[in-house]
Amino acid sequence: MGHLRTQIFEAVKARLVAIPRFSDPDKVVRGRKGAIKQEALPVLTLTWSDSNEIASVRPSSGPNGEDGYDRSLPLSIVVHLRDDDPEVEFDEICVEVESAMGAAIMLDGLVIEALLESERHYVNSQTGTSLCAGSINYRIAYKTLAVDPQQPAL
């Protein structure tokens, strides 16, 4: 089954793949192993490598009084752009992603909430030229049992 974090990423991926422009294979991937072909753009990459997931103890989280963790997962949706007007393309994709994620704030009961935290379109700070990438960042609050991180806590 995998860590609850993996289940959360799969739930987010399912929401994003439902967006028509991202429905083809490899349009939404958790992490990438290599370069993206120009003709495949735009694509989305899911990651949490920009920041640490933090956790705090949650006493009596299981049905038998087991301890658990309150967790806060920083989930980034990296947007790889293609359009001649990347800033407008980024905004259009933000609308689609925010709509898909906003319709499922609890991700089918896996999480307490998935809240939009920030968005950023990346540009060369010296020239103002788009780097044809951006990120849509969410903070995912969820809870697990300490002895079994595959299971949500109460």
Side-chain angles (χ1 to χ4, degrees):
M1 180 187 307
H3 197 286
L4 187 54
R5 180 174 45 242
T6 296
Q7 297 172 55
I8 292 166
F9 271 98
E10 289 303 315
V12 169
K13 181 178 177 180
R15 295 280 173 200
L16 300 177
V17 169
I19 299 169
R21 85 161 84 194
F22 297 113
S23 62
D24 291 342
D26 297 326
K27 285 285 200 171
V28 180
V29 173
R30 181 180 176 189
R32 293 197 180 266
K33 297 176 193 163
I36 301 165
K37 294 180 181 177
Q38 179 73 22
E39 55 274 4
L41 296 173
V43 299
L44 304 174
T45 303
L46 307 178
T47 186
W48 62 292
S49 61
D50 285 344
S51 186
N52 295 328
E53 177 184 59
I54 55 174
S56 57
V57 174
R58 180 180 183 79
S60 301
S61 295
N64 300 312
E66 306 96 326
D67 285 342
Y69 295 111
D70 284 331
R71 296 177 180 258
S72 182
L73 174 66
L75 186 144
S76 292
I77 301 168
V78 179
V79 181
H80 309 271
L81 303 164
R82 176 190 182 116
D83 204 305
D84 289 336
D85 193 346
E87 206 165 313
V88 170
E89 182 184 27
F90 179 70
D91 282 347
E92 290 169 352
I93 291 171
C94 285
V95 167
E96 295 169 329
V97 169
E98 287 181 50
S99 296
M101 292 293 290
I105 288 178
M106 295 179 67
L107 294 174
D108 304 320
L110 290 174
V111 306
I112 298 166
E113 60 189 2
L115 296 178
L116 179 64
E117 192 170 68
S118 66
E119 295 175 335
R120 181 172 179 196
H121 173 238
Y122 297 101
V123 297
N124 179 317
S125 62
Q126 291 161 342
T127 66
T129 304
S130 174
L131 298 177
C132 291
S135 64
I136 305 168
N137 305 298
Y138 284 83
R139 179 67 54 181
I140 312 289
Y142 71 107
K143 29 186 192 181
T144 62
L145 293 177
V147 297
D148 188 358
Q150 300 178 95
Q151 297 297 318
L154 301 174

